[in-house]
Each structure stands twice: as C-alpha cells, then as structure tokens.
Amino acid sequence: MKKLFRFLLKIFAWFVIITVGFVVLFKWVPVPVTPLMVIRYFEQDSGQRTFWKHDWESIDHISKNLQLAVVCSEDQNFLNHNGFDIQAIEKAIEYNKKGKRVRGGSTISQQTAKNVFLWPERSWFRKGLETYFTFLIELIWSKERIMEVYLNSIEMGKGVYGAEAAAQYWFKKPAAKLSQYEAAAIAAVLPSPQRYRANPASAYIQGRKVWIVKQMHFYGPFSYDKK
C-alpha cells in the first residue's frame, strides 16, 4: 500500500512539475499548436484539401477593437475576475434548466486554458483539469498575456486559428487593421466557428455583430489597467 501511495505521489508531483513548466514556458513563448488544431485537422474530409491556417501575432499587432469585441461578447468581467465568473456560471445554470439550448459560463481565461492545454470534451475530469489550468494561468500570466494567447489560439473559422489568420481569411487585412464591425463579426462567430461565417454574415451573425458593437460603446475604452 505504501509503494502504491509513493507511486501515485510521484505521478502527481511530476504532473505538477510538467504542467507548471509548460505554463511558465508559454508565458514567454508563442503557443505553436493546440490539441484542438490537431483534432480538427484529422477530422477534415480526406477527399478534400486539408486546411490549417495559424499565424501568431503579438498583442501589439492585434486591433484593440478585436480585444474589446471578444470581451464584450464572451466575458465582460474579464479584467476583474480571477479566472472564474461565479455570477455568469450561476446564470448559465439557470438558463440551461429552462431552455433546450446549452449556454456556457466559461470565462476567457477558462477558454484559454481549455484550448491550449486540453481537448474538446464535456466531462467532469476535463472540467477539473480546466479549473486547474485556469488557476495556473491566472497566477502566472498577466491578463494581457491571457488575451494574447486566447486571440492567437482560438478557432475563428474552419481551419482558421487566431486573430491574424481570421483577419486575413475573412477580411483580407492584418489583425491590427480590423474595424469595430469587422472585429465584432469575428467575435460573433466564436460560439460556433465551424457553423457560422464572419463575412458575408448571415442575418443571425449580423444581429450579433450589431449587439456586440453596442456593448463595445457601452464598455468604453479598453485598457488592461482598467478595473
């Protein structure tokens, strides 16, 4: 029994060392690939040309319009919470009890942890790991770094990952040059980037885009010093 306990303790210790090491590494180094990118690549139809577009850009080269658009669309408390928005989670739980469609309460920090370190699956085990990695990145990274990794890693279309790739794919321009409405269009497809198009936008995405721009105006100037 003691040998088993020591063995499990060693596994746990190595898990912590390795995972903390990766989080520290990615505080400075661009994330080259995520599990979702690999999974999506192999999910593509073998009879068609495979598509994978991902171009890392520093946060300084990503429009503030897009940074504000994803905050207003996905997580308006991003600058104030410690990785978990309890009120948003409670609202999502209440909504899911009433409706047929499932609404998530994940913050940008949680989405970043999931996209960079984990795989897309709904299970308590993966949710537990997501909580662990969210705690780590909030502890080790700045909010600006979390946003930088988020905007460089998330899926923004079929085979399109990150702000620069999305800006070029949808609007034929660099991420630094995105207007408010272009940024809002990209943010509008994030709940289901495999299903929706940022340009040309469907009636549903057009409506979401207008709502996001209104929220951007209500929110005001975006700064990581804003609390």
Side-chain angles (χ1 to χ4, degrees):
M1 195 68 181
K2 286 184 178 179
K3 286 184 178 180
L4 177 62
F5 178 75
R6 290 196 195 100
F7 175 72
L8 293 175
L9 191 61
K10 283 182 180 180
I11 290 177
F12 177 75
W14 276 110
F15 171 78
V16 172
I17 291 169
I18 292 170
T19 53
V20 170
F22 271 112
V23 173
V24 171
L25 176 68
F26 288 144
K27 180 179 181 179
W28 312 107
V29 177
V31 179
V33 65
T34 69
L36 180 63
M37 293 178 193
V38 177
I39 291 169
R40 288 281 191 259
Y41 180 83
F42 286 105
E43 282 179 348
Q44 293 184 52
D45 189 342
S46 58
Q48 298 178 349
R49 182 176 65 88
T50 53
F51 187 77
W52 179 344
K53 189 168 178 59
H54 178 226
D55 304 301
W56 182 279
E57 280 290 351
S58 72
I59 195 74
D60 297 330
H61 295 153
I62 298 175
S63 170
K64 277 289 179 70
N65 286 325
L66 184 57
Q67 297 175 52
L68 178 56
V70 297
V71 165
C72 289
S73 173
E74 300 290 300
D75 181 8
Q76 294 194 15
N77 250 342
F78 173 64
L79 295 177
N80 301 312
H81 63 60
N82 62 353
F84 307 93
D85 190 335
I86 304 303
Q87 287 186 339
I89 293 171
E90 290 175 346
K91 286 180 181 179
I93 292 172
E94 289 301 315
Y95 177 88
N96 294 338
K97 285 179 180 178
K98 298 175 183 177
K100 294 181 180 179
R101 295 178 62 185
V102 177
R103 175 186 292 177
S106 295
T107 64
I108 284 176
S109 301
Q110 288 173 276
Q111 292 179 51
T112 304
K114 177 186 69 177
N115 287 333
V116 174
F117 299 105
L118 302 171
W119 60 95
E121 179 194 36
R122 289 185 179 275
S123 70
W124 287 111
F125 176 67
R126 204 229 58 194
K127 199 66 180 177
L129 289 176
E130 178 186 306
T131 301
Y132 169 73
F133 278 108
T134 300
F135 170 77
L136 283 185
I137 65 174
E138 280 281 345
L139 181 67
I140 296 172
W141 299 355
S142 65
K143 287 288 187 180
E144 188 172 24
R145 179 58 177 175
I146 292 173
M147 177 63 75
E148 183 175 46
V149 174
Y150 174 76
L151 287 177
N152 275 287
S153 303
I154 54 173
E155 189 177 25
M156 294 178 164
K158 288 185 178 181
V160 181
Y161 304 93
E164 183 63 23
Q168 295 289 352
Y169 182 76
W170 293 119
F171 298 106
K172 311 301 181 189
K173 60 168 59 177
K177 301 293 185 180
L178 290 170
S179 69
Q180 278 191 337
Y181 278 93
E182 289 166 345
I186 292 174
V189 306
L190 294 185
S192 189
Q194 292 266 309
R195 178 181 178 185
Y196 298 121
R197 295 179 58 85
N199 186 37
S202 65
Y204 172 72
I205 293 301
Q206 185 65 29
R208 272 187 55 81
K209 182 169 66 172
V210 171
W211 179 84
I212 291 169
V213 170
K214 286 181 180 178
Q215 294 300 306
M216 291 166 73
H217 290 156
F218 292 147
Y219 193 96
F222 185 70
S223 169
Y224 292 98
D225 295 326
K226 184 175 180 177
K227 299 293 182 183

